[in-house]
Amino acid sequence: MFKIRSLVTALALASSVSVASAWEALPTQVDAPADNPTTAAKVELGQMLYHDPRLSSTGTVSCSSCHNTMLGGEDNRPNSMGVNGQTGGRSAPTVWNSAFNTVQFWDGRAASLEAQAAGPVTNPIEMGMKSWDDVVARLKAIEGYQQAFEQAFGKDSISKDNATKAIAAYERTLITPNSPYDKYVGGDKSALSAQQVRGMEKVAELGCTNCHSGPAFNGPGMFQKFPVIPNGYFEAQYHISKDKGLAEVSKNPADEHLFKVPTLRNVALTAPYFHNGSVKTLDKAVTLMAKLQLGKDLTKEEVADIVAFLNGLTGEFPKQKMPALPATPDSTFN
């Protein structure tokens, strides 16, 4: 929680100084933490675990159920569906480029990909396992996982810590560089259309990059209040303020409606929008953000230009080959 409070303090400082900086291309790789260096065996194991529904109590929900790497890294639902058809109150954020987040989840309660990977498995609404001890026992009963963990971490290494490290190692490979925007800032001035360039200039002019800055357009680990400007009409339509954001974790009233600034990378593919998935289209999301965060009323032409630019942030997705999961011959967990 100290890290979260420090980030909120950084936000307060950033709010008085424009953090819009030179346009930056997305790196093609991200550094791994010292205690979890990336290896091919670890990534292969992590991909299996990420796509295995047997990590859920019903055997029906995997990480990929809500964060689909065959699409935009989420599920295009307002609220993701977990075990037994349950739904939570928030929209699944994209897993693509999540390695560039300083914290994870909308409320920033996880300080790393490893910490994030541990949460949904035992969340009663999401994957529904009673404990990680039960998960480890299930993995140990699958011979193929015994072999995969040994290759990645050594003998007798099946544990919560190593499982989440493997999933995080896989997620660090989910980077989408070489978007039209990246090519444009790299020197190819034909990569963006004239309309997209107008949208790019309008984004900077409005101050959108005060929060959505940096190569991933998610700021330097910032939290931001949403909405900044209350609006009863839009609140009645979209119930934006119902969720208390960071305050749900910190229990501090000063943190109400603070949310991690999400990436704009591939945003054209991740409808519906906002933490509660209440807005179906990107043009409406742009209109609302301008009004609620900046107090600006945009023309239809300005919205269209910005949407065109945001479409230019769709990158190249690394090809995903679905893993063959270790089998349980002659038996089942359910």
Side-chain angles (χ1 to χ4, degrees):
M1 190 55 65
F2 173 78
K3 183 173 184 178
I4 291 176
R5 295 302 319 158
S6 297
L7 288 167
V8 173
T9 300
L11 168 62
L13 294 173
S15 65
S16 61
V17 179
S18 172
V19 297
S21 57
W23 302 103
E24 301 176 66
L26 191 71
T28 57
Q29 61 184 15
V30 64
D31 292 336
D35 65 345
N36 189 23
T38 301
T39 66
K42 205 180 290 184
V43 170
E44 183 177 359
L45 169 61
Q47 187 179 32
M48 287 192 290
L49 294 168
Y50 185 92
H51 290 90
D52 197 335
R54 291 172 296 181
L55 269 66
S56 70
S57 61
T58 59
T60 58
V61 179
S62 67
C63 302
S64 63
S65 298
C66 301
H67 305 279
N68 189 348
T69 55
M70 300 295 120
L71 288 170
E74 40 74 76
D75 56 4
N76 294 124
R77 294 175 53 91
N79 309 113
S80 296
M81 183 176 291
V83 293
N84 300 312
Q86 299 179 94
T87 55
R90 290 177 179 163
S91 180
T94 181
V95 70
W96 291 109
N97 305 307
S98 60
F100 295 103
N101 294 335
T102 304
V103 293
Q104 307 295 330
F105 294 114
W106 278 103
D107 54 26
R109 65 185 181 274
S112 66
L113 287 173
E114 287 80 1
Q116 187 281 327
V121 176
T122 55
N123 184 299
I125 294 176
E126 297 181 55
M127 296 173 75
M129 292 295 286
K130 290 183 179 179
S131 71
W132 263 96
D133 288 341
D134 292 336
V135 179
V136 169
R138 182 172 288 191
L139 293 173
K140 286 182 176 179
I142 302 174
E143 183 177 352
Y145 273 127
Q146 296 174 20
Q147 297 169 358
F149 271 87
E150 182 172 346
Q151 290 174 358
F153 295 102
K155 201 168 183 64
D156 299 323
S157 59
I158 297 180
S159 66
K160 171 187 175 181
D161 185 52
N162 286 338
T164 56
K165 283 183 175 180
I167 293 172
Y170 167 61
E171 290 176 338
R172 289 193 176 93
T173 69
L174 301 179
I175 298 173
T176 62
N178 301 321
S179 69
Y181 159 83
D182 293 309
K183 295 173 182 177
Y184 182 86
V185 299
D188 180 2
K189 298 309 177 184
S190 67
L192 292 179
S193 69
Q195 183 183 33
Q196 288 175 317
V197 173
R198 288 199 305 270
M200 182 177 176
E201 292 170 348
K202 179 58 67 173
V203 161
E205 176 190 327
L206 290 170
C208 305
T209 49
N210 284 355
C211 294
H212 293 287
S213 61
F217 288 85
N218 61 351
M222 292 170 58
F223 287 78
Q224 179 58 276
K225 185 176 182 180
F226 180 65
V228 171
I229 303 168
N231 185 298
Y233 175 75
F234 289 135
E235 179 62 32
Q237 283 186 285
Y238 303 109
H239 311 290
I240 295 167
S241 300
K242 183 178 179 180
D243 191 324
K244 302 298 183 182
L246 179 58
E248 302 276 0
V249 179
S250 69
K251 309 304 179 185
N252 185 344
D255 295 337
E256 289 187 1
H257 311 304
L258 285 176
F259 294 92
K260 177 195 71 177
V261 174
T263 180
L264 295 182
R265 291 280 177 173
N266 308 307
V267 68
L269 306 181
T270 60
Y273 299 103
F274 301 159
H275 58 275
N276 62 355
S278 61
V279 176
K280 292 183 179 181
T281 64
L282 187 52
D283 58 346
K284 177 59 71 174
V286 168
T287 299
L288 289 174
M289 286 297 290
K291 185 69 173 179
L292 298 175
Q293 299 305 96
L294 303 170
K296 303 288 186 180
D297 291 305
L298 301 182
T299 66
K300 289 183 179 180
E301 292 75 18
E302 288 171 330
V303 171
D305 289 350
I306 292 173
V307 168
F309 168 64
L310 294 176
N311 272 268
L313 298 181
T314 300
E316 294 178 359
F317 292 79
K319 186 175 181 180
Q320 297 294 294
K321 182 180 179 181
M322 298 304 292
L325 301 180
T328 53
D330 306 318
S331 66
T332 180
F333 291 110
N334 295 290

